Amino acid sequence: MSTAAEEKAVEAPIDTEKSVNSASTEEHQHRAQNIDIETTANSDGLYVVKDTDLGLKLAKDGSTVLIPQPSDDDEDPLNWSWLKKHKAFFALLLPSLLTDWGMTWGTTMFEAQSVTWDMSIPDVARSISGGIFLQGPGGILAVPLIQRYGRLPVLFWSQVLGCIMVIVATFSPSYACFTAFRTLQGFVATSPQVISLSVVHDLFFFHERARKVNIWAFTFLFGAFFGPMMSSFLLSKISWELDMGVLAIWYGVSAILVAICGEETLYDRQKGVKPTSGASRISLLIGIAGWKAKGQSSLTTVSKHLVSVGIKPQLLLPCLFILVLFTWAIGIVTTVTQFIRPPPYLLDDTHASLFYFAPIVGGIVGEFFGHFFNDFLSNLYIKTHNGKYSPENRLWGAYIPCAFGIAAMVLYGQTLQKGLPVIGLGAAWSMMVFAEVVSTTAVSAYLLDIFPHHAALASAWLNFWRTTGGFCVTYFQTQWVAKSGAAVTFGVQGAIIAASFIFIIITQVMGRSWRLKFLPPAAEI
């Protein structure tokens, strides 16, 4: 440590040479197994990932340190079987899929709804703006409930309430009523995106997390395009009201899946106990077990921690880059039908539906790329730094997607401006989704590394900033294009993405010193 203040901030740092040389093997192993490796990494700036001399529990390869160190309790999620872990993880994926899927599902209905309500298409398109915006605050307000009552009940009720909101919206007699309940849908159904990082942290060790985060990021971003594609196909056969009914069915299926496969993963690692141990399945699901559990953080405490984490520069700056990137990405998905249906493209329902394969391909490529690239980055760093790992290394994974995002906006604008073949729009959209998946994985993995005991809080802020810019873009996107032309509009958006990347660079340079100076709040269970 370079300063007295920094030395004071470190609690029980690992001094490998001193520990090995001065302590007996038995004493050292006892001490090492009780060290909170993640807290030490937060204080010391580096994770000890590869080591055989510290007396720590290791992975099957005999050298990878298990972070966090698992307890000897069979109820500890880290000790669950591969099948049970992945069953719980699988139960999280459909709810995550439905968060953006559920909102963008309605983007293909604007033309039909404009006839129903005798309104212009741009005015009808604003029906989803409120829902997109409230995904951010909804995630923030879900965090205290997640930490106090558990992951499972919040996940379950989000799907039940989402189903109810969609049903009411379907039978709404007016545009105002429809918009109100679509807005509430966005508010109540967003929590899976917040819960996800907590569940990944609860279930998997440090060296396993990047791939799980990549799968989760692909899932919720994939939903933003697969949902509209399915909705568009249905609209060619049924009314928009029945189309919304199908979405309600999906929420119902998701609630049933959570009820069958979901697991409560909240575990008090400091005390080595599961707060809801012995509770019945139904009490876990509806939240009674979490309400009765003792020793968990209060709603007030979690709320204070939420604010404390949200203003840390090591979180705020990467999230601002995500804000900019997703603002323009959401702008594409919410306005694309207004560009591909009129001249010169004149895509009918079937071809407009097939057009959504473009972003799906980009998402699949992004998942495949991130699945291996993030491990390559971390393994290379560990190999060249004596078995230690710096979380800021994760952010190298944002460079390539940033370049793709910039190129995507330029290509999209030029294709529209010059009336080039529609494949240009598809290629641009595919590139943008690739950028979303890979950059979200890099930033999410970084935040999970630096806030391991506050995964839900960090994820909530990431979700908040991701959706904040997107809600307003429908109010000015088409008007901006009409006034300045597509080439200028989307070119400027690409330039803004490039400028915002400075937030990532600054975090890479300053992140470790910020983590030493701006320590996170006390760990929560």
Side-chain angles (χ1 to χ4, degrees):
M1 294 300 170
S2 58
T3 68
E6 290 172 354
E7 290 176 6
K8 188 177 180 180
V10 179
E11 292 185 31
I14 299 176
D15 185 337
T16 306
E17 291 184 2
K18 183 177 180 181
S19 298
V20 172
N21 292 331
S22 64
S24 70
T25 302
E26 182 178 353
E27 290 174 339
H28 178 62
Q29 287 181 347
H30 176 75
R31 174 179 177 271
Q33 288 177 1
N34 285 278
I35 286 176
D36 185 336
I37 307 299
E38 291 177 313
T39 298
T40 302
N42 253 352
S43 302
D44 195 32
L46 294 172
Y47 279 91
V48 178
V49 180
K50 295 282 187 179
D51 205 302
T52 58
D53 298 325
L54 294 176
L56 298 170
K57 295 178 181 179
L58 305 175
K60 292 181 179 179
D61 64 5
S63 63
T64 301
V65 177
L66 295 179
I67 305 174
Q69 290 281 279
S71 68
D72 296 324
D73 184 5
D74 290 339
E75 291 193 320
D76 183 348
L78 291 175
N79 292 327
W80 289 355
S81 67
W82 184 95
L83 181 61
K84 187 174 182 179
K85 284 186 177 186
H86 286 81
K87 180 169 71 74
F89 183 62
F90 173 74
L92 186 69
L93 296 184
L94 183 55
S96 297
L97 189 76
L98 282 171
T99 48
D100 284 357
W101 167 328
M103 293 312 303
T104 58
W105 182 279
T107 58
T108 61
M109 304 176 186
F110 298 150
E111 289 78 9
Q113 289 174 328
S114 67
V115 175
T116 301
W117 290 314
D118 192 24
M119 297 171 62
S120 69
I121 294 175
D123 287 339
V124 171
R126 292 169 186 151
S127 64
I128 67 169
S129 295
I132 294 174
F133 171 70
L134 284 185
Q135 283 185 317
I140 295 293
L141 293 177
V143 168
L145 303 178
I146 294 167
Q147 297 299 92
R148 175 60 184 87
Y149 301 111
R151 285 67 156 129
L152 185 60
V154 178
L155 183 63
F156 174 72
W157 284 113
S158 70
Q159 301 309 287
V160 172
L161 293 175
C163 180
I164 293 172
M165 295 304 127
V166 173
I167 291 173
V168 177
T170 302
F171 292 101
S172 295
S174 65
Y175 170 79
C177 185
F178 174 84
T179 301
F181 282 97
R182 285 282 278 165
T183 300
L184 288 173
Q185 175 199 341
F187 180 75
V188 301
T190 191
S191 57
Q193 293 183 352
V194 176
I195 296 170
S196 299
L197 286 187
S198 290
V199 173
V200 169
H201 176 265
D202 295 340
L203 290 173
F204 301 104
F205 297 105
F206 173 84
H207 65 281
E208 300 172 318
R209 291 175 191 160
R211 290 191 175 189
K212 306 305 179 185
V213 170
N214 195 57
I215 293 170
W216 161 71
F218 165 74
T219 301
F220 82 78
L221 291 172
F222 173 78
F225 316 110
F226 187 71
M229 184 184 73
M230 182 181 293
S231 173
S232 185
F233 274 122
L234 290 172
L235 276 176
S236 64
K237 303 295 182 181
I238 61 178
S239 67
W240 70 262
E241 291 92 346
L242 289 176
D243 199 333
M244 287 292 294
V246 173
L247 176 60
I249 293 173
W250 274 109
Y251 273 108
V253 170
S254 181
I256 294 171
L257 179 66
V258 171
I260 296 174
C261 297
E263 297 285 350
E264 179 53 69
T265 63
L266 185 64
Y267 188 81
D268 190 339
R269 200 155 297 286
Q270 295 175 341
K271 298 178 181 177
V273 296
K274 189 175 184 179
T276 55
S277 178
S280 67
R281 180 70 180 176
I282 187 66
S283 65
L284 284 171
L285 197 63
I286 64 178
I288 293 177
W291 177 65
K292 291 182 177 180
K294 305 297 182 181
Q296 292 168 247
S297 300
S298 67
L299 298 178
T300 301
T301 298
V302 178
S303 298
K304 290 179 180 178
H305 288 178
L306 186 62
V307 175
S308 175
V309 169
I311 60 176
K312 299 276 188 275
Q314 61 265 40
L315 177 141
L316 187 58
L317 265 67
C319 285
L320 290 178
F321 168 70
I322 293 295
L323 162 70
V324 172
L325 182 68
F326 273 79
T327 294
W328 309 132
I330 293 173
I332 292 178
V333 73
T334 56
T335 60
V336 64
T337 57
Q338 299 176 54
F339 295 125
I340 63 176
R341 286 185 179 273
Y345 300 114
L346 296 172
L347 298 190
D348 58 22
D349 289 339
T350 300
H351 289 97
S353 302
L354 292 171
F355 190 72
Y356 282 91
F357 271 113
I360 289 173
V361 170
I364 293 173
V365 174
E367 200 285 330
F368 183 80
F369 176 82
H371 194 76
F372 297 100
F373 185 65
N374 288 288
D375 280 352
F376 167 76
L377 285 177
S378 60
N379 291 334
L380 180 63
Y381 187 95
I382 293 166
K383 185 177 180 180
T384 56
H385 289 78
N386 298 317
K388 295 185 178 181
Y389 187 73
S390 173
E392 282 70 37
N393 184 65
R394 297 280 193 198
L395 297 178
W396 284 108
Y399 280 71
I400 292 176
C402 178
F404 270 76
I406 296 167
M409 300 312 294
V410 173
L411 177 59
Y412 198 83
Q414 290 294 324
T415 302
L416 281 176
Q417 183 75 37
K418 299 177 180 179
L420 300 176
V422 73
I423 192 174
L425 297 180
W429 199 6
S430 182
M431 292 166 62
M432 192 61 176
V433 175
F434 172 87
E436 289 179 89
V437 172
V438 181
S439 62
T440 299
T441 299
V443 173
S444 297
Y446 173 66
L447 295 182
L448 187 55
D449 287 351
I450 66 173
F451 295 108
H453 297 300
H454 303 87
L457 287 68
S459 183
W461 284 116
L462 178 64
N463 182 61
F464 175 83
W465 290 111
R466 184 183 69 84
T467 57
T468 295
F471 93 95
C472 62
V473 73
T474 56
Y475 288 99
F476 62 80
Q477 180 92 300
T478 53
Q479 293 88 336
W480 190 3
V481 171
K483 181 179 180 180
S484 303
V488 171
T489 300
F490 293 102
V492 169
Q493 292 177 8
I496 294 173
I497 292 174
S500 70
F501 195 70
I502 190 66
F503 297 133
I504 296 293
I505 297 173
I506 292 174
T507 305
Q508 280 191 293
V509 174
M510 300 295 297
R512 185 177 179 186
S513 62
W514 282 341
R515 288 188 287 114
L516 297 172
K517 183 177 181 180
F518 304 108
L519 297 176
E524 298 167 0
I525 63 170

